[in-house]
Amino acid sequence: QVQLVESGGGSVQAGGSLRLSCTASGLPSSPTCMGWFRQRPGKEREGVATIEADGTTAYANSVKGRFTVSRVNAENTLYLQMDGLEPEDTAMYYCAADPHPAAIQALGHHCPLSLVFIYYGQGTQVTVSS
């Protein structure tokens, strides 16, 4: 059974930092692509950052320069360092692994910042106060 478990969420003031972690277990193989997504209050889930096995990263424009995604392949662990947090970053954050092969083919990208992943965690809440 595949499980992705996030941790590290919490409440911080604007300008503060948090580091999210995600540990994956039960995956059939080491994921070629992992990512972070978030759902802000009243909004649809959106992509935050992705990272390939070779360390190639991609970020949503809204978090570029403030968030850093990283992973430890041998441990199937994913991280998201969030600095300069803003109230608009308040959301439930989810980690994800393995984009659907059909989506990879359709999008022409093997690590898309889109909601096309096979596995998602249950999420960890991040709240940023002004």
Side-chain angles (χ1 to χ4, degrees), residues 16-60:
S17 299
L18 282 173
R19 187 186 193 218
L20 305 184
S21 301
C22 171
T23 300
S25 61
L27 290 167
S29 61
S30 183
T32 58
C33 174
M34 300 184 77
W36 287 100
F37 293 81
R38 69 183 181 185
Q39 188 159 14
R40 295 184 280 182
K43 304 277 182 128
E44 295 185 351
R45 195 175 294 193
E46 61 184 359
V48 174
T50 57
I51 184 167
E52 301 178 40
D54 66 358
T56 301
T57 58
Y59 296 92

Side-chain angles (χ1 to χ4, degrees), residues 40-128:
R40 295 184 280 182
K43 304 277 182 128
E44 295 185 351
R45 195 175 294 193
E46 61 184 359
V48 174
T50 57
I51 184 167
E52 301 178 40
D54 66 358
T56 301
T57 58
Y59 296 92
N61 288 335
S62 59
V63 306
K64 276 182 185 175
R66 300 188 298 122
F67 291 10
T68 304
V69 62
S70 61
R71 62 187 284 180
V72 178
N73 292 334
E75 300 174 358
N76 278 350
T77 302
L78 180 70
Y79 300 98
L80 185 67
Q81 177 67 41
M82 304 186 295
D83 299 314
L85 282 161
E86 303 168 352
E88 293 73 25
D89 296 317
T90 294
M92 185 71 80
Y93 284 74
Y94 303 87
C95 73
D98 288 335
H100 281 279
I104 291 173
Q105 186 171 19
L107 295 172
H109 195 296
H110 53 275
C111 197
L113 192 57
S114 303
L115 290 165
V116 295
F117 284 69
I118 300 173
Y119 308 109
Y120 292 90
Q122 293 299 305
T124 185
Q125 178 68 38
V126 171
T127 302
V128 185

